[in-house]
Amino acid sequence: LSGQALVLNNIGYLHHLQGAHEAALVNLERALDCGQRSGNTRTINYALISMGDLFTDLELWTAEQDVYQKALPLTKQLNEQFLILSLELALARLASLQEEWEAVYAHLEIASNLVVSKKSGYEWGLYRLAVGHCNLLQNRIPDAIEPLEDAKKYFKQPIKAASTAFLLCMAWHEAGDSKLAQTHLQQGLDLAMAMESDHAL
């Protein structure tokens, strides 16, 4: 059952990347069921996080928050530091969409403590991306541009690089620099169109 849960989770993730959201959800629900029947905390956790990622793209904020909050204590129990960071940043983004700024900064502070103790450029980039996005949502444009430009340097993964470029396009547009906005928009489109997935778009 644990093996089935992992395979179903991977199949669900691949459907998600291809934009086949219904098929993704079916497989992820089956993965969660297998994980729960096996009693394997790790597979339960992976299925919950994958479902949360799917709900993010579908903009089902309540469902996303529910599964991420279920996943967070399991992730801490397993001591999976990267996943703890990812969940704290996801919950910060959710709180920012609801304009719950006190909660946003609480999650970002936990995330900053996680990344400062490591030397992972990618994890630092994720943190800086979250800070930039948070500032952009508050229309604090200069405070958004600097961390987003910083985050961009750490992403070789096309999805994150494209997403950062799109946010920079928005930020420079708001700053009144249409040339830089167009440059970042083109960079994001080039990265997104080169992938075998519409995920970044």
mmCIF file with all atom_site columns, all heavy atoms in Angstrom, residues 78-94:
data_model
loop_
_atom_site.group_PDB
_atom_site.id
_atom_site.type_symbol
_atom_site.label_atom_id
_atom_site.label_alt_id
_atom_site.label_comp_id
_atom_site.label_asym_id
_atom_site.label_entity_id
_atom_site.label_seq_id
_atom_site.pdbx_PDB_ins_code
_atom_site.Cartn_x
_atom_site.Cartn_y
_atom_site.Cartn_z
_atom_site.occupancy
_atom_site.B_iso_or_equiv
_atom_site.pdbx_formal_charge
_atom_site.auth_seq_id
_atom_site.auth_comp_id
_atom_site.auth_asym_id
_atom_site.auth_atom_id
_atom_site.pdbx_PDB_model_num
ATOM 1   N N   . LEU A 1 78 ? 8.150  14.279 10.841 1.00 0.00 ? 78 LEU A N   1
ATOM 2   C CA  . LEU A 1 78 ? 9.136  13.584 10.010 1.00 0.00 ? 78 LEU A CA  1
ATOM 3   C C   . LEU A 1 78 ? 10.456 14.353 9.910  1.00 0.00 ? 78 LEU A C   1
ATOM 4   O O   . LEU A 1 78 ? 11.436 13.839 9.378  1.00 0.00 ? 78 LEU A O   1
ATOM 5   C CB  . LEU A 1 78 ? 8.561  13.378 8.600  1.00 0.00 ? 78 LEU A CB  1
ATOM 6   C CG  . LEU A 1 78 ? 7.359  12.449 8.491  1.00 0.00 ? 78 LEU A CG  1
ATOM 7   C CD1 . LEU A 1 78 ? 6.648  12.628 7.160  1.00 0.00 ? 78 LEU A CD1 1
ATOM 8   C CD2 . LEU A 1 78 ? 7.800  10.992 8.684  1.00 0.00 ? 78 LEU A CD2 1
ATOM 9   N N   . ASN A 1 79 ? 10.450 15.610 10.385 1.00 0.00 ? 79 ASN A N   1
ATOM 10  C CA  . ASN A 1 79 ? 11.630 16.483 10.359 1.00 0.00 ? 79 ASN A CA  1
ATOM 11  C C   . ASN A 1 79 ? 12.164 16.688 8.936  1.00 0.00 ? 79 ASN A C   1
ATOM 12  O O   . ASN A 1 79 ? 13.381 16.683 8.713  1.00 0.00 ? 79 ASN A O   1
ATOM 13  C CB  . ASN A 1 79 ? 12.735 15.934 11.276 1.00 0.00 ? 79 ASN A CB  1
ATOM 14  C CG  . ASN A 1 79 ? 13.762 17.003 11.604 1.00 0.00 ? 79 ASN A CG  1
ATOM 15  O OD1 . ASN A 1 79 ? 13.439 18.191 11.667 1.00 0.00 ? 79 ASN A OD1 1
ATOM 16  N ND2 . ASN A 1 79 ? 15.010 16.589 11.791 1.00 0.00 ? 79 ASN A ND2 1
ATOM 17  N N   . GLU A 1 80 ? 11.244 16.879 7.993  1.00 0.00 ? 80 GLU A N   1
ATOM 18  C CA  . GLU A 1 80 ? 11.640 17.133 6.604  1.00 0.00 ? 80 GLU A CA  1
ATOM 19  C C   . GLU A 1 80 ? 11.743 18.647 6.411  1.00 0.00 ? 80 GLU A C   1
ATOM 20  O O   . GLU A 1 80 ? 10.759 19.326 6.117  1.00 0.00 ? 80 GLU A O   1
ATOM 21  C CB  . GLU A 1 80 ? 10.620 16.506 5.653  1.00 0.00 ? 80 GLU A CB  1
ATOM 22  C CG  . GLU A 1 80 ? 10.552 14.996 5.785  1.00 0.00 ? 80 GLU A CG  1
ATOM 23  C CD  . GLU A 1 80 ? 10.131 14.311 4.498  1.00 0.00 ? 80 GLU A CD  1
ATOM 24  O OE1 . GLU A 1 80 ? 10.281 14.902 3.413  1.00 0.00 ? 80 GLU A OE1 1
ATOM 25  O OE2 . GLU A 1 80 ? 9.646  13.180 4.590  1.00 0.00 ? 80 GLU A OE2 1
ATOM 26  N N   . GLN A 1 81 ? 12.960 19.157 6.557  1.00 0.00 ? 81 GLN A N   1
ATOM 27  C CA  . GLN A 1 81 ? 13.183 20.592 6.624  1.00 0.00 ? 81 GLN A CA  1
ATOM 28  C C   . GLN A 1 81 ? 12.746 21.333 5.360  1.00 0.00 ? 81 GLN A C   1
ATOM 29  O O   . GLN A 1 81 ? 12.151 22.411 5.435  1.00 0.00 ? 81 GLN A O   1
ATOM 30  C CB  . GLN A 1 81 ? 14.659 20.874 6.914  1.00 0.00 ? 81 GLN A CB  1
ATOM 31  C CG  . GLN A 1 81 ? 15.118 20.396 8.279  1.00 0.00 ? 81 GLN A CG  1
ATOM 32  C CD  . GLN A 1 81 ? 14.418 21.137 9.415  1.00 0.00 ? 81 GLN A CD  1
ATOM 33  O OE1 . GLN A 1 81 ? 14.443 22.356 9.488  1.00 0.00 ? 81 GLN A OE1 1
ATOM 34  N NE2 . GLN A 1 81 ? 13.774 20.389 10.304 1.00 0.00 ? 81 GLN A NE2 1
ATOM 35  N N   . PHE A 1 82 ? 13.031 20.772 4.195  1.00 0.00 ? 82 PHE A N   1
ATOM 36  C CA  . PHE A 1 82 ? 12.650 21.455 2.952  1.00 0.00 ? 82 PHE A CA  1
ATOM 37  C C   . PHE A 1 82 ? 11.128 21.556 2.835  1.00 0.00 ? 82 PHE A C   1
ATOM 38  O O   . PHE A 1 82 ? 10.592 22.594 2.432  1.00 0.00 ? 82 PHE A O   1
ATOM 39  C CB  . PHE A 1 82 ? 13.217 20.740 1.726  1.00 0.00 ? 82 PHE A CB  1
ATOM 40  C CG  . PHE A 1 82 ? 12.768 21.365 0.429  1.00 0.00 ? 82 PHE A CG  1
ATOM 41  C CD1 . PHE A 1 82 ? 13.287 22.582 0.018  1.00 0.00 ? 82 PHE A CD1 1
ATOM 42  C CD2 . PHE A 1 82 ? 11.798 20.757 -0.360 1.00 0.00 ? 82 PHE A CD2 1
ATOM 43  C CE1 . PHE A 1 82 ? 12.871 23.183 -1.161 1.00 0.00 ? 82 PHE A CE1 1
ATOM 44  C CE2 . PHE A 1 82 ? 11.375 21.350 -1.534 1.00 0.00 ? 82 PHE A CE2 1
ATOM 45  C CZ  . PHE A 1 82 ? 11.911 22.562 -1.941 1.00 0.00 ? 82 PHE A CZ  1
ATOM 46  N N   . LEU A 1 83 ? 10.426 20.490 3.205  1.00 0.00 ? 83 LEU A N   1
ATOM 47  C CA  . LEU A 1 83 ? 8.966  20.514 3.125  1.00 0.00 ? 83 LEU A CA  1
ATOM 48  C C   . LEU A 1 83 ? 8.364  21.445 4.170  1.00 0.00 ? 83 LEU A C   1
ATOM 49  O O   . LEU A 1 83 ? 7.346  22.091 3.919  1.00 0.00 ? 83 LEU A O   1
ATOM 50  C CB  . LEU A 1 83 ? 8.396  19.098 3.288  1.00 0.00 ? 83 LEU A CB  1
ATOM 51  C CG  . LEU A 1 83 ? 8.621  18.150 2.101  1.00 0.00 ? 83 LEU A CG  1
ATOM 52  C CD1 . LEU A 1 83 ? 8.019  16.780 2.387  1.00 0.00 ? 83 LEU A CD1 1
ATOM 53  C CD2 . LEU A 1 83 ? 8.034  18.714 0.822  1.00 0.00 ? 83 LEU A CD2 1
ATOM 54  N N   . ILE A 1 84 ? 9.009  21.542 5.347  1.00 0.00 ? 84 ILE A N   1
ATOM 55  C CA  . ILE A 1 84 ? 8.537  22.489 6.358  1.00 0.00 ? 84 ILE A CA  1
ATOM 56  C C   . ILE A 1 84 ? 8.631  23.907 5.788  1.00 0.00 ? 84 ILE A C   1
ATOM 57  O O   . ILE A 1 84 ? 7.694  24.700 5.895  1.00 0.00 ? 84 ILE A O   1
ATOM 58  C CB  . ILE A 1 84 ? 9.351  22.376 7.667  1.00 0.00 ? 84 ILE A CB  1
ATOM 59  C CG1 . ILE A 1 84 ? 9.116  21.014 8.339  1.00 0.00 ? 84 ILE A CG1 1
ATOM 60  C CG2 . ILE A 1 84 ? 8.981  23.511 8.630  1.00 0.00 ? 84 ILE A CG2 1
ATOM 61  C CD1 . ILE A 1 84 ? 10.048 20.723 9.506  1.00 0.00 ? 84 ILE A CD1 1
ATOM 62  N N   . LEU A 1 85 ? 9.777  24.211 5.171  1.00 0.00 ? 85 LEU A N   1
ATOM 63  C CA  . LEU A 1 85 ? 9.964  25.527 4.542  1.00 0.00 ? 85 LEU A CA  1
ATOM 64  C C   . LEU A 1 85 ? 8.893  25.775 3.477  1.00 0.00 ? 85 LEU A C   1
ATOM 65  O O   . LEU A 1 85 ? 8.260  26.834 3.451  1.00 0.00 ? 85 LEU A O   1
ATOM 66  C CB  . LEU A 1 85 ? 11.354 25.616 3.916  1.00 0.00 ? 85 LEU A CB  1
ATOM 67  C CG  . LEU A 1 85 ? 11.623 26.859 3.067  1.00 0.00 ? 85 LEU A CG  1
ATOM 68  C CD1 . LEU A 1 85 ? 11.601 28.118 3.915  1.00 0.00 ? 85 LEU A CD1 1
ATOM 69  C CD2 . LEU A 1 85 ? 12.950 26.733 2.327  1.00 0.00 ? 85 LEU A CD2 1
ATOM 70  N N   . SER A 1 86 ? 8.675  24.802 2.615  1.00 0.00 ? 86 SER A N   1
ATOM 71  C CA  . SER A 1 86 ? 7.692  24.948 1.528  1.00 0.00 ? 86 SER A CA  1
ATOM 72  C C   . SER A 1 86 ? 6.292  25.215 2.083  1.00 0.00 ? 86 SER A C   1
ATOM 73  O O   . SER A 1 86 ? 5.565  26.064 1.556  1.00 0.00 ? 86 SER A O   1
ATOM 74  C CB  . SER A 1 86 ? 7.664  23.684 0.658  1.00 0.00 ? 86 SER A CB  1
ATOM 75  O OG  . SER A 1 86 ? 8.921  23.468 0.066  1.00 0.00 ? 86 SER A OG  1
ATOM 76  N N   . LEU A 1 87 ? 5.931  24.503 3.151  1.00 0.00 ? 87 LEU A N   1
ATOM 77  C CA  . LEU A 1 87 ? 4.599  24.682 3.731  1.00 0.00 ? 87 LEU A CA  1
ATOM 78  C C   . LEU A 1 87 ? 4.465  26.036 4.420  1.00 0.00 ? 87 LEU A C   1
ATOM 79  O O   . LEU A 1 87 ? 3.426  26.692 4.307  1.00 0.00 ? 87 LEU A O   1
ATOM 80  C CB  . LEU A 1 87 ? 4.302  23.550 4.719  1.00 0.00 ? 87 LEU A CB  1
ATOM 81  C CG  . LEU A 1 87 ? 3.996  22.190 4.087  1.00 0.00 ? 87 LEU A CG  1
ATOM 82  C CD1 . LEU A 1 87 ? 3.963  21.103 5.155  1.00 0.00 ? 87 LEU A CD1 1
ATOM 83  C CD2 . LEU A 1 87 ? 2.675  22.220 3.327  1.00 0.00 ? 87 LEU A CD2 1
ATOM 84  N N   . GLU A 1 88 ? 5.504  26.467 5.121  1.00 0.00 ? 88 GLU A N   1
ATOM 85  C CA  . GLU A 1 88 ? 5.451  27.782 5.771  1.00 0.00 ? 88 GLU A CA  1
ATOM 86  C C   . GLU A 1 88 ? 5.293  28.886 4.719  1.00 0.00 ? 88 GLU A C   1
ATOM 87  O O   . GLU A 1 88 ? 4.521  29.836 4.906  1.00 0.00 ? 88 GLU A O   1
ATOM 88  C CB  . GLU A 1 88 ? 6.711  28.020 6.613  1.00 0.00 ? 88 GLU A CB  1
ATOM 89  C CG  . GLU A 1 88 ? 6.825  27.146 7.853  1.00 0.00 ? 88 GLU A CG  1
ATOM 90  C CD  . GLU A 1 88 ? 5.809  27.479 8.944  1.00 0.00 ? 88 GLU A CD  1
ATOM 91  O OE1 . GLU A 1 88 ? 5.080  28.484 8.837  1.00 0.00 ? 88 GLU A OE1 1
ATOM 92  O OE2 . GLU A 1 88 ? 5.738  26.716 9.937  1.00 0.00 ? 88 GLU A OE2 1
ATOM 93  N N   . LEU A 1 89 ? 5.998  28.762 3.605  1.00 0.00 ? 89 LEU A N   1
ATOM 94  C CA  . LEU A 1 89 ? 5.888  29.766 2.542  1.00 0.00 ? 89 LEU A CA  1
ATOM 95  C C   . LEU A 1 89 ? 4.513  29.710 1.865  1.00 0.00 ? 89 LEU A C   1
ATOM 96  O O   . LEU A 1 89 ? 3.942  30.751 1.516  1.00 0.00 ? 89 LEU A O   1
ATOM 97  C CB  . LEU A 1 89 ? 7.000  29.558 1.504  1.00 0.00 ? 89 LEU A CB  1
ATOM 98  C CG  . LEU A 1 89 ? 8.425  29.821 2.005  1.00 0.00 ? 89 LEU A CG  1
ATOM 99  C CD1 . LEU A 1 89 ? 9.441  29.498 0.917  1.00 0.00 ? 89 LEU A CD1 1
ATOM 100 C CD2 . LEU A 1 89 ? 8.585  31.255 2.489  1.00 0.00 ? 89 LEU A CD2 1
ATOM 101 N N   . ALA A 1 90 ? 3.986  28.498 1.698  1.00 0.00 ? 90 ALA A N   1
ATOM 102 C CA  . ALA A 1 90 ? 2.649  28.366 1.104  1.00 0.00 ? 90 ALA A CA  1
ATOM 103 C C   . ALA A 1 90 ? 1.589  28.976 2.012  1.00 0.00 ? 90 ALA A C   1
ATOM 104 O O   . ALA A 1 90 ? 0.672  29.675 1.539  1.00 0.00 ? 90 ALA A O   1
ATOM 105 C CB  . ALA A 1 90 ? 2.340  26.885 0.849  1.00 0.00 ? 90 ALA A CB  1
ATOM 106 N N   . LEU A 1 91 ? 1.712  28.748 3.314  1.00 0.00 ? 91 LEU A N   1
ATOM 107 C CA  . LEU A 1 91 ? 0.740  29.317 4.259  1.00 0.00 ? 91 LEU A CA  1
ATOM 108 C C   . LEU A 1 91 ? 0.882  30.830 4.355  1.00 0.00 ? 91 LEU A C   1
ATOM 109 O O   . LEU A 1 91 ? -0.103 31.543 4.539  1.00 0.00 ? 91 LEU A O   1
ATOM 110 C CB  . LEU A 1 91 ? 0.909  28.659 5.635  1.00 0.00 ? 91 LEU A CB  1
ATOM 111 C CG  . LEU A 1 91 ? 0.446  27.192 5.701  1.00 0.00 ? 91 LEU A CG  1
ATOM 112 C CD1 . LEU A 1 91 ? 0.929  26.513 6.979  1.00 0.00 ? 91 LEU A CD1 1
ATOM 113 C CD2 . LEU A 1 91 ? -1.075 27.090 5.592  1.00 0.00 ? 91 LEU A CD2 1
ATOM 114 N N   . ALA A 1 92 ? 2.103  31.338 4.180  1.00 0.00 ? 92 ALA A N   1
ATOM 115 C CA  . ALA A 1 92 ? 2.312  32.796 4.137  1.00 0.00 ? 92 ALA A CA  1
ATOM 116 C C   . ALA A 1 92 ? 1.603  33.391 2.926  1.00 0.00 ? 92 ALA A C   1
ATOM 117 O O   . ALA A 1 92 ? 0.948  34.438 3.021  1.00 0.00 ? 92 ALA A O   1
ATOM 118 C CB  . ALA A 1 92 ? 3.805  33.110 4.088  1.00 0.00 ? 92 ALA A CB  1
ATOM 119 N N   . ARG A 1 93 ? 1.740  32.705 1.783  1.00 0.00 ? 93 ARG A N   1
ATOM 120 C CA  . ARG A 1 93 ? 1.087  33.204 0.561  1.00 0.00 ? 93 ARG A CA  1
ATOM 121 C C   . ARG A 1 93 ? -0.432 33.184 0.716  1.00 0.00 ? 93 ARG A C   1
ATOM 122 O O   . ARG A 1 93 ? -1.124 34.135 0.334  1.00 0.00 ? 93 ARG A O   1
ATOM 123 C CB  . ARG A 1 93 ? 1.503  32.352 -0.645 1.00 0.00 ? 93 ARG A CB  1
ATOM 124 C CG  . ARG A 1 93 ? 0.900  32.813 -1.963 1.00 0.00 ? 93 ARG A CG  1
ATOM 125 C CD  . ARG A 1 93 ? 1.278  31.872 -3.092 1.00 0.00 ? 93 ARG A CD  1
ATOM 126 N NE  . ARG A 1 93 ? 1.153  30.487 -2.737 1.00 0.00 ? 93 ARG A NE  1
ATOM 127 C CZ  . ARG A 1 93 ? 0.005  29.843 -2.604 1.00 0.00 ? 93 ARG A CZ  1
ATOM 128 N NH1 . ARG A 1 93 ? -1.138 30.473 -2.810 1.00 0.00 ? 93 ARG A NH1 1
ATOM 129 N NH2 . ARG A 1 93 ? -0.020 28.571 -2.285 1.00 0.00 ? 93 ARG A NH2 1
ATOM 130 N N   . LEU A 1 94 ? -0.968 32.118 1.301  1.00 0.00 ? 94 LEU A N   1
ATOM 131 C CA  . LEU A 1 94 ? -2.416 32.036 1.525  1.00 0.00 ? 94 LEU A CA  1
ATOM 132 C C   . LEU A 1 94 ? -2.901 33.150 2.441  1.00 0.00 ? 94 LEU A C   1
ATOM 133 O O   . LEU A 1 94 ? -3.929 33.779 2.185  1.00 0.00 ? 94 LEU A O   1
ATOM 134 C CB  . LEU A 1 94 ? -2.766 30.679 2.142  1.00 0.00 ? 94 LEU A CB  1
ATOM 135 C CG  . LEU A 1 94 ? -2.991 29.524 1.182  1.00 0.00 ? 94 LEU A CG  1
ATOM 136 C CD1 . LEU A 1 94 ? -3.041 28.216 1.945  1.00 0.00 ? 94 LEU A CD1 1
ATOM 137 C CD2 . LEU A 1 94 ? -4.264 29.723 0.392  1.00 0.00 ? 94 LEU A CD2 1
#
